[in-house]
Amino acid sequence: MTSSPPSPAEGLDRKVFRDFFGLASGWWTGATASRAWFLTAALALCLIVNVGINFAVNTWNRRFFDALENSDTATVWWAVVVFLWLVICAAAVGVGIVLSRETLQVRWREWLIGSLIDRWLSGQRYYRMGLARTEPANPEYRIADDTRLATEPIVDFAIGLTTSIVSALTFVGVLWVVGGSLTVPVGSGSIVIPGYMVLAAIFYGVVMSTLMLWVGHRLPGAVARRNEAEAKLRFELTRLRENAESVALIRGEADERRALGSTYADLVQRWLGVVRRHGHITWLTNGSGVFVPVLPLLLAAPKYLSGEFTLGQVTQLAGAFLQVQVAIAWLVDHFRAIAQCYASMQRVTELTNAIDDIDLDRTAGQSGGVVVEPAAGGAVVLAGLTISDRTGRVLIDRAEARIEPGEKVMVSGESGTGKSMLVRALAGLWPWGQGAIALPAGGQIAFVPERAYLPEGSLRGALLYPAQSLAVDDAVLREALVEAGLGYLGHRLDDVGRWDQTLSNGERQRLAIARLLVQRPDLVILDGATSALDEGGEARLMATLVGALAGSTLISVGLRPGLEALHDRKLVLSRADDGARLASVPLRPRVAQAAGA
Ligand SMILES: Nc1ncnc2c1ncn2[C@@H]1O[C@H](COP(=O)(O)OP(=O)(O)OP(=O)(O)O)[C@@H](O)[C@H]1O
């Protein structure tokens, strides 16, 4: 059962922003910089022109209402024509904003996904994080969805911020110039408040934003916790699907249902927490939504009634007040999106931090790390190889071995003595420990685990994987299938499907061996690669492999004793308290057996 997802701290952590922007700003500085800056500049230009159009509409309002008040028919008609042009310009700039904004979002996310996938896949980090148990839950969701949920709102924030600043400067100017000062009688004298509409607009905006921050500061944490619970539910459903056969065979549905029910109940609780906080925020947003259009009319009313303002000026001031409000309180409008975005940024940075940590682990292992290097001469050499786990517990102690080119060596030992660890170390996937492994330089190396990976696609693709570009004749592929005991699949080379699901365990293992017969690597390392076959079938398949790859070095782990005859030597791991010991045991010469097989 997976553990409950961690609850992110409430509030916003600045490190998350720093880490995320450190990562995501690479789009503007790397090879993609010219495209990134072009889209950014295009968007900024559209936004500035858009504020210009808003200013023109605001001025238009004043002219139009003044003309109505003065029954000036000629100006009213002129205003109608100008308005039609303003509509066309507003529509065109709107299209410009949508296209530049969405293209920027798509391209930025494309870059971010690409760079995350590169970081995740390179150096087998996707696998090593699992081994080290430091992988954050659902990395695939973080790469596929959180990148979108994090980047899209940031672009929208940037748009809101740019529009707000330009708009605030423009319309504060309108309020200042058109609104003028207000003279308030006090006792026998009076007080003059200069730019009173500006002061009122700024005061109202700041008060509302502060209230919003105060009421909404717990929302980001609540959204992050809900997203974690969503991710857990998805993970558990996926895990159930992946283990469908095992669960179905032991009739585990009721237990799974109970576990899923408790996960879903937790999600619902966290969701309701978000709903409650949205409710609190809506008090403010809706109240303010009704109040804001009326407030400037109330503020302008005294000067209109005293004849200082025309109707046009009142309309213009009301519009400008609203624009300043929207500008100052842009945070209010975007609060929910910030919360959503923060949670996703956090999930992306958790993944990149885990990736960085696994690299640190590799280079700064307590004992210097296992060094895997190519060496001339073609031999596989283990020199002072100690393999430990991440805590420093020694699993294999100071192993020494030299496997000559073409030699066939069997690695055996009781369960848990570290045979698979040795294979991981040979593959460069287990960094913890010390000592050195030399592998043949330039030679092709194939690792075949117990459950061979078969990609989706044609059978031909599965046989050639990962050397898809290898030009191999169909006859050779069919011959390999026949030799591996899969001759009946020979006519299905181009059949596309999920071969990993349609083949049985034994067939999958035979296919992995057929792959070796096609690709003919110089060094083959098998880890339980034929364990699903019956003893006779395994012996025949191994004899075929040994015979076909006579010149290749073979290291095979976990094979039944009956196969000793096909190997030159045995490396035996024997359990000891301070780490298993590796010893070399000679076997009878195999030439005759292999040839006779
Ligand atoms: N990811 C891991 N992190 C820490 N320790 C691990 C990890 N995987 C395995 N081990 C431990 O390392 C030891 C050796 O495991 P390994 O899988 O290499 O044994 P093995 O000899 O291949 O066993 P078997 O024959 O049963 O497959 C075991 O004690 C196991 O618990």
Side-chain angles (χ1 to χ4, degrees):
M1 194 84 297
T2 52
S3 58
S4 181
S7 291
E10 298 209 341
L12 304 173
D13 179 358
R14 259 191 261 163
K15 185 173 182 307
V16 171
F17 289 104
R18 222 177 24 244
D19 288 354
F20 184 79
F21 286 109
L23 166 75
S25 60
W27 188 52
W28 280 271
T29 53
T32 47
S34 48
R35 169 187 271 179
W37 283 112
F38 172 75
L39 284 170
T40 311
L43 181 56
L45 183 67
C46 289
L47 293 176
I48 291 169
V49 173
N50 194 42
V51 175
I53 290 173
N54 286 348
F55 175 68
V57 171
N58 183 263
T59 314
W60 179 91
N61 264 293
R62 175 177 174 173
R63 292 273 180 92
F64 182 72
F65 281 97
D66 280 347
L68 279 185
E69 197 179 29
N70 299 330
S71 306
D72 178 353
T73 316
T75 307
V76 169
W77 279 113
W78 171 85
V80 170
V81 174
V82 169
F83 189 69
L84 289 177
W85 278 107
L86 284 176
V87 170
I88 292 169
C89 291
V93 170
V95 171
I97 291 177
V98 165
L99 292 183
S100 53
R101 172 182 146 240
E102 292 185 11
T103 311
L104 193 149
Q105 285 171 327
V106 168
R107 294 297 183 191
W108 189 21
R109 179 172 171 233
E110 176 194 28
W111 178 87
L112 190 57
I113 290 187
S115 75
L116 280 176
I117 289 180
D118 286 347
R119 284 172 77 161
W120 190 51
L121 287 188
S122 65
Q124 290 94 23
R125 290 162 176 149
Y126 59 98
Y127 171 74
R128 289 194 288 123
M129 286 198 294
L131 270 187
R133 314 218 163 96
T134 57
E135 186 176 71
N138 311 100
E140 60 286 349
Y141 175 75
R142 291 167 198 255
I143 293 173
D145 292 64
D146 283 316
T147 48
R148 181 175 55 76
L149 295 174
T151 52
E152 285 186 356
I154 291 174
V155 175
D156 293 338
F157 298 156
I159 290 173
L161 187 62
T162 311
T163 306
S164 300
I165 291 172
V166 180
S167 199
L169 293 176
T170 309
F171 291 102
V172 158
V174 172
L175 289 180
W176 186 271
V177 173
V178 180
S181 57
L182 181 69
T183 306
V184 186
V186 179
S188 56
S190 61
I191 297 177
V192 177
I193 308 173
Y196 80 107
M197 291 290 274
V198 175
L199 293 181
I202 292 176
F203 178 75
Y204 183 81
V206 169
V207 167
M208 279 308 294
S209 298
T210 311
L211 276 176
M212 206 64 214
L213 281 172
W214 180 61
V215 174
H217 80 282
R218 288 184 186 279
L219 186 61
V223 171
R225 284 193 300 283
R226 186 202 57 192
N227 288 353
E228 286 291 343
E230 298 253 25
K232 186 181 177 198
L233 179 66
R234 231 186 334 267
F235 173 72
E236 288 186 2
L237 288 169
T238 308
R239 201 189 47 114
L240 175 58
R241 188 172 49 75
E242 283 171 357
N243 294 292
E245 187 175 70
S246 315
V247 175
L249 286 174
I250 56 168
R251 298 278 182 269
E253 294 86 1
D255 202 45
E256 292 296 326
R257 179 70 188 81
R258 245 192 320 277
L260 284 171
S262 112
T263 302
Y264 190 65
D266 180 43
L267 168 60
V268 169
Q269 282 314 313
R270 292 176 184 214
W271 209 332
L272 290 176
V274 173
V275 169
R276 268 196 307 280
R277 290 186 168 92
H278 276 167
H280 298 159
I281 289 176
T282 307
W283 273 103
L284 286 176
T285 48
N286 278 23
S288 180
V290 176
F291 191 52
V292 159
V294 179
L295 181 61
L297 298 178
L298 297 177
L299 289 171
K303 287 180 87 169
Y304 178 72
L305 293 174
S306 67
E308 280 181 71
F309 282 162
T310 63
L311 180 62
Q313 283 173 313
V314 173
T315 320
Q316 186 181 21
L317 284 170
F321 191 92
L322 190 67
Q323 293 284 352
V324 173
Q325 228 33 253
V326 171
I328 293 177
W330 76 276
L331 191 63
V332 176
D333 293 340
H334 292 82
F335 209 90
R336 290 177 199 186
I338 288 176
Q340 184 75 45
C341 167
Y342 175 80
S344 292
M345 281 197 253
Q346 194 175 30
R347 290 169 56 77
V348 170
T349 54
E350 273 170 7
L351 177 63
T352 51
N353 290 340
I355 287 174
D356 292 344
D357 286 351
I358 198 81
D359 281 354
L360 281 180
D361 233 8
R362 179 168 225 184
T363 50
Q366 303 123 324
S367 39
V370 173
V371 179
V372 183
E373 289 174 322
V380 176
V381 183
L382 312 184
L385 178 68
T386 293
I387 297 179
S388 28
D389 66 11
R390 290 184 84 228
T391 64
R393 182 174 67 105
V394 175
L395 304 171
I396 297 178
D397 187 38
R398 285 165 295 165
E400 301 280 346
R402 181 182 176 88
I403 300 166
E404 296 299 341
E407 212 182 343
K408 311 287 184 272
V409 174
M410 184 171 174
V411 178
S412 65
E414 282 174 41
S415 263
T417 43
K419 301 182 294 294
S420 298
M421 282 294 176
L422 188 61
V423 172
R424 285 175 191 151
L426 284 166
L429 295 173
W430 193 264
W432 300 285
Q434 64 185 127
I437 299 176
L439 294 176
Q444 197 201 336
I445 305 176
F447 288 87
V448 187
E450 191 167 350
R451 189 181 166 89
Y453 174 68
L454 303 182
E456 256 187 82
S458 67
L459 186 61
R460 182 196 315 280
L463 272 171
L464 295 176
Y465 185 86
Q468 298 290 358
S469 55
L470 212 64
V472 183
D473 212 60
D474 279 5
V476 176
L477 298 180
R478 289 201 184 95
E479 177 63 21
L481 285 173
V482 170
E483 287 180 6
L486 295 174
Y488 52 90
L489 293 177
H491 66 287
R492 298 183 61 189
L493 283 177
D494 291 312
D495 280 13
V496 173
R498 295 213 53 183
W499 289 99
D500 59 329
Q501 289 184 349
T502 47
L503 296 183
S504 71
N505 290 344
E507 286 175 318
R508 221 177 15 240
Q509 291 192 336
R510 285 180 183 277
L511 192 69
I513 300 294
R515 199 184 266 171
L516 297 176
L517 296 174
V518 172
Q519 301 186 5
R520 304 188 160 271
D522 305 291
L523 169 61
V524 177
I525 300 175
L526 306 177
D527 185 4
T530 49
S531 58
L533 305 178
D534 63 275
E535 268 189 69
E538 182 180 42
R540 280 191 295 281
L541 189 60
M542 281 304 294
T544 305
L545 184 68
V546 168
L549 303 187
S552 305
T553 311
L554 177 74
I555 302 175
S556 37
V557 170
L559 296 175
R560 295 169 185 134
L563 292 174
E564 286 182 0
L566 294 169
H567 295 81
D568 302 304
R569 191 152 59 102
K570 197 157 86 160
L571 290 174
V572 183
L573 276 166
S574 335
R575 194 183 300 283
D577 287 344
D578 51 353
R581 302 287 146 75
L582 187 73
S584 176
V585 178
L587 296 170
R588 280 192 303 140
R590 71 177 162 87
V591 185
Q593 290 98 324

